[in-house]
C-alpha cells in the first residue's frame, strides 16, 4: 500500500507585495510576507519577510528571516536573522540572533533558549 503524506506540512502561505492585510494571522506552516500586515502573527513554522514586506504587530514563530520592516514584539524559538535591508523596531526574544551589516535594530533583545515557552 502506498504511504500517504500530509501535503499541508509543505505549504508556504504568501502575502504578496500588492496585498495589505489587517487582522491577526495564525498558521502552523511557513509564511512569507512581501506585502503589509497590520496585526499579530503566530506561526509554528518559518517566517520570511521580504524586502517589500512590513509587519506592524507582535510575532511568534519557529524561525525568522527578515529583509523588510518589523515594528512590534517578536518571539522566535530558534534563529532570528536580520538581513542588511531590514529594519526592526521593538522587543526581541530569541534563542539565536544573526544581524548582517546594514541592518537597523532599535529596541531590546533577550537571548533565551526557551523563547517559545516564555512567549505565553
Amino acid at each position: 500500500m502506498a504511504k500517504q503524506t500530509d501535503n499541508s506540512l509543505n505549504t508556504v502561505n504568501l502575502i504578496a507585495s500588492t496585498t495589505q492585510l489587517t487582522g491577526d494571522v495564525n498558521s502552523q506552516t511557513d509564511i512569507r510576507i512581501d506585502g503589509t500586515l497590520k496585526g499579530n502573527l503566530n506561526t509554528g513554522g518559518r517566517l520570511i519577510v521580504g524586502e517589500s514586506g512590513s509587519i506592524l504587530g507582535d510575532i511568534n514563530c519557529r524561525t525568522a528571516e527578515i529583509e523588510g520592516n518589523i515594528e512590534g514584539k517578536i518571539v522566535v524559538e530558534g534563529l532570528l536573522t536580520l538581513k542588511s535591508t531590514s529594519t526592526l523596531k521593538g522587543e526581541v526574544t530569541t534563542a539565536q540572533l544573526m544581524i548582517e551589516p546594514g541592518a537597523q535594530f532599535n529596541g531590546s533583545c533577550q537571548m533565551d533558549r526557551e523563547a517559545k515557552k516564555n512567549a505565553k
Side-chain angles (χ1 to χ4, degrees):
M1 183 184 286
K3 180 179 175 183
Q4 291 184 344
T5 58
D6 185 356
N7 290 333
S8 67
L9 297 177
N10 296 326
T11 303
V12 176
N13 295 294
L14 173 65
I15 297 176
S17 61
T18 57
T19 303
Q20 294 184 355
L21 181 65
T22 301
D24 295 341
V25 174
N26 295 297
S27 175
Q28 291 304 311
T29 59
D30 296 348
I31 187 164
R32 180 180 176 102
I33 297 180
D34 291 311
T36 301
L37 170 63
K38 293 181 181 178
N40 300 323
L41 172 69
N42 293 295
T43 181
R46 179 179 186 200
L47 168 65
I48 299 173
V49 178
E51 246 184 283
S52 62
S54 176
I55 299 176
L56 177 59
D58 295 342
I59 300 167
N60 287 291
C61 60
R62 185 173 40 86
T63 62
E65 184 176 306
I66 311 300
E67 297 174 359
N69 301 305
I70 302 288
E71 188 170 339
K73 179 179 178 182
I74 181 168
V75 178
V76 181
E77 182 179 349
L79 174 64
L80 168 60
T81 303
L82 300 179
K83 297 290 192 170
S84 62
T85 56
S86 67
T87 301
L88 191 149
K89 296 177 186 175
E91 183 181 324
V92 172
T93 302
T94 186
Q96 300 174 337
L97 177 63
M98 184 173 80
I99 303 176
E100 290 184 354
Q104 295 182 10
F105 173 46
N106 295 300
S108 64
C109 180
Q110 178 178 342
M111 301 294 291
D112 189 343
R113 294 196 190 279
E114 298 182 7
K116 191 75 164 187
K117 293 178 186 175
N118 295 328
K120 307 284 180 204

